[in-house]
């Protein structure tokens, strides 16, 4: 019979052991541990051994709440084997229950790194192996606490993914998009939208975009210090990208195209080419319409490069995660987010990173989730996580505190 044991370790040991694992969720990475330490969260690190050999690694956060500490274990533990090891996991849950109880815990929340369902864009579904997590966690005294639709305390229960492993070029990538996705990206090329990385000194511009978006959509944004810390700690693994446009350059390109088309018309008087001349004339009218639409922007911004949208991506050996983003609503006609998505996916392909994680969606497939509809333009698939499970070490105490909070809110 295998001998399984768990042990709390120091941060330095966590850093060293983390380097030995090929596939680590960024939430459980050394960089995230460093970021959380700066943000003044209490962190705990653990290893699991089987017959004296280290088989798993985990980081857990703790925050002071009314009545004690709230412990959270997200997308962990990380298994050295690269696959979910059920027996080790459930034994670890038992260990964490005792740990939380002995360390003034009032809440222990666990979010396993396990998918339970895959949903394709055509509506078809595939159930995945969940190792009986829901049933066994209930038996251990945990309560399933996440909503089936929406977000769980800001964390998505549903992710949208795209498999890049069979794509080997930019042309293959573009062809893999939906027709609307291809159209939108091609429009960014016509507009002259450019994508580039931000420097550390430019992060205030990133913050302006995300803040404007958070106000418009009604969610809480991180402060600038968070993004600055993220940039420094994650280094090359983090990419802060922006899509820009120079309206004067765009206008010059339109005028040049109009002049080229007009020369073609002027140099062609053959009756046989009348249809072609009509087509060229139609293109000129289209370009002139764009020129008219762009005049207010040109008058306001002149010959400046203006940021239209921004995104933050986190890279690992097996996936790139689309973590945060924002855009200015007044520039939505330029389809800037499509240029950013195309850019980061081409980089993933160049680096042989097989998976692109668009991250959160609500899990609502009735056509009301605009975020999902945007992501579906790139033709991936949705996955539902098994969700979150919460254990209350002192349930009576927790219920009394919850009741007191409810009474205070009423008053």
């Amino acid at each position: 019979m295998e001998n399984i044991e768990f042990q709390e370790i120091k941060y330095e040991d966590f850093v060293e052991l983390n380097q030995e694992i090929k596939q680590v969720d960024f939430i459980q990475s050394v960089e995230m541990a460093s970021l959380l330490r700066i943000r003044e969260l209490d962190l705990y690190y653990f290893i699991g051994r089987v017959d004296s050999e280290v088989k798993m690694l985990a980081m857990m956060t703790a925050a002071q709440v009314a009545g004690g500490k709230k412990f959270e274990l997200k997308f962990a533990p990380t298994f050295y084997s690269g696959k979910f090891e059920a027996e080790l996991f459930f034994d670890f849950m038992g260990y964490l229950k005792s740990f939380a109880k002995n360390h003034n815990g009032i809440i222990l929340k666990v979010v396993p790194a396990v998918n339970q369902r895959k949903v394709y864009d055509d509506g078809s579904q595939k159930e995945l192996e969940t190792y009986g997590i829901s049933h066994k966690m209930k038996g251990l005294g945990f309560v399933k606490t996440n909503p089936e639709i929406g977000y769980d305390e800001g964390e998505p229960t549903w992710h949208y993914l795209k498999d890049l492993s069979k794509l080997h070029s930019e042309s293959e990538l573009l062809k893999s998009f939906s027709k609307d996705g291809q159209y939108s990206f091609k429009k960014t090329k016509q507009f002259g939208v450019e994508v580039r990385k931000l420097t550390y000194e430019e992060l205030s511009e990133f913050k302006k975009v995300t803040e404007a978006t958070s106000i418009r959509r009604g969610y809480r944004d991180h402060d600038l210090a968070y993004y600055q810390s993220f940039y420094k700690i994650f280094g090359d693994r983090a990419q802060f990208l922006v899509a820009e446009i120079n309206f004067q350059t765009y206008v010059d390109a339109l005028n040049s195209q109009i002049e080229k088309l007009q020369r073609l018309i002027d140099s062609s008087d053959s009756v046989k080419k009348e249809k072609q001349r009509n087509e060229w004339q139609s293109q000129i009218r289209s370009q002139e319409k764009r020129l008219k639409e762009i005049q207010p922007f040109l008058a306001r911004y002149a010959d400046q490069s203006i940021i239209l949208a921004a995104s933050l991506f986190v890279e690992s050996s097996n996936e790139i995660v689309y973590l945060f983003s924002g855009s200015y609503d007044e520039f939505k006609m330029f389809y800037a987010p499509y240029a950013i998505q195309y850019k980061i996916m081409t980089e993933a392909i160049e680096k042989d990173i097989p998976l692109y994680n668009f991250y959160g969606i609500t899990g609502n497939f009735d056509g009301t989730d605009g975020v999902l509809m945007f992501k579906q333009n790139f033709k991936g698939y949705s996955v539902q996580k098994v969700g979150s499970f919460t254990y209350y070490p002192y349930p009576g105490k927790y219920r009394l505190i919850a009741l007191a909070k409810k009474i205070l809110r009423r008053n």
Side-chain angles (χ1 to χ4, degrees), residues 9 44 80 83 149 211 235 252 289 292 308 315 334 339 371 388-389 397:
I9 60 174
Y44 298 85
Y80 275 56
K83 59 183 180 180
I149 302 295
E211 185 172 278
D252 291 344
K289 181 181 178 182
K292 186 176 181 181
L308 311 175
E315 180 182 317
F334 299 107
V371 173
S388 59
F389 301 87
K397 180 181 179 181

Side-chain angles (χ1 to χ4, degrees), residues 170-171 173-174 177 185 338-346:
E170 292 187 18
S171 61
L173 174 63
L174 186 57
F177 296 171
F185 171 70
Y338 289 87
I340 294 177
Q341 296 297 328
Y342 182 82
K343 174 68 173 178
I344 197 67
M345 279 188 260
T346 57

Side-chain angles (χ1 to χ4, degrees), residues 19-253:
Q19 306 304 319
E20 300 175 5
I21 307 175
K22 289 184 178 181
Q23 296 184 7
V24 180
D25 192 289
F26 82 95
I27 294 293
Q28 287 288 312
S29 67
V30 170
E31 290 86 353
M32 183 55 73
S34 300
L35 182 63
L36 293 173
R37 280 158 62 93
I38 289 176
R39 305 300 283 183
E40 298 183 346
L41 273 175
D42 292 332
L43 300 179
Y44 298 85
Y45 313 96
F46 306 94
I47 56 172
R49 292 191 182 94
V50 178
D51 294 334
S52 300
E53 183 180 355
V54 177
K55 293 289 188 178
M56 55 139 275
L57 187 66
M59 172 177 66
M60 183 169 69
T61 64
Q64 191 65 41
V65 296
K69 288 184 176 181
K70 179 180 181 180
F71 292 100
E72 290 191 80
L73 182 78
K74 294 182 179 179
F75 302 124
T78 303
F79 299 101
Y80 275 56
S81 64
K83 59 183 180 180
F84 186 81
E85 298 189 30
E87 182 180 2
L88 196 54
F89 174 83
F90 293 120
D91 282 358
F92 185 47
M93 294 301 101
Y95 170 84
L96 285 185
K97 285 173 58 180
S98 298
F99 184 91
K101 198 164 189 175
N102 294 332
H103 288 78
N104 195 32
I106 191 75
I107 298 170
L108 169 60
K109 182 177 179 181
V110 176
V111 184
V114 176
N115 300 327
Q116 69 176 4
R117 181 179 294 113
K118 181 183 288 188
V119 179
Y120 299 96
D121 287 346
D122 63 5
S124 61
Q125 300 186 19
K126 180 182 179 181
E127 298 299 318
L128 305 174
E129 174 62 64
T130 62
Y131 311 93
I133 281 183
S134 292
H135 175 73
K136 291 179 180 178
M137 291 294 276
K138 183 178 180 181
L140 285 167
F142 286 80
V143 179
K144 200 166 190 296
T145 48
N146 66 285
E148 290 298 307
I149 302 295
Y151 288 71
D152 176 22
E153 295 184 321
E155 288 292 330
T157 303
W158 288 82
H159 290 188
Y160 194 79
L161 310 175
K162 183 176 177 68
D163 181 3
L164 302 176
S165 63
K166 297 179 182 178
L167 302 175
H168 306 290
S169 66
E170 292 187 18
S171 61
E172 288 181 358
L173 174 63
L174 186 57
K175 288 177 183 177
S176 75
F177 296 171
S178 70
K179 288 186 178 179
D180 285 344
Q182 293 180 42
Y183 169 84
S184 298
F185 171 70
K186 289 175 181 178
K187 292 294 287 186
T188 70
K189 301 295 285 184
Q190 292 177 7
F191 293 134
V193 174
E194 299 286 344
V195 178
R196 68 175 179 88
K197 295 180 183 180
L198 288 178
T199 64
Y200 177 82
E201 290 73 24
E202 295 176 300
L203 288 180
S204 59
E205 296 301 317
F206 182 88
K207 170 61 180 172
K208 288 178 185 177
V209 180
T210 57
E211 185 172 278
T213 306
S214 68
I215 293 171
R216 187 171 74 246
R217 296 182 179 174
Y219 64 83
R220 185 177 179 181
D221 186 27
H222 289 288
D223 57 24
L224 176 60
Y226 177 86
Y227 294 126
Q228 290 173 329
S229 297
F230 205 107
Y231 192 103
K232 286 183 176 179
I233 291 170
F234 276 84
D236 291 339
R237 288 189 59 194
Q239 292 201 47
F240 289 79
L241 300 185
V242 293
E244 296 178 323
I245 189 171
N246 183 301
F247 293 107
Q248 185 61 61
T249 300
Y250 176 48
V251 166
D252 291 344

Side-chain angles (χ1 to χ4, degrees), residues 321-336:
V321 178
Y322 173 35
L323 195 56
F324 301 120
S325 68
S327 61
Y328 291 119
D329 202 43
E330 65 175 310
F331 300 131
K332 62 184 178 182
M333 65 179 286
F334 299 107
Y335 301 95

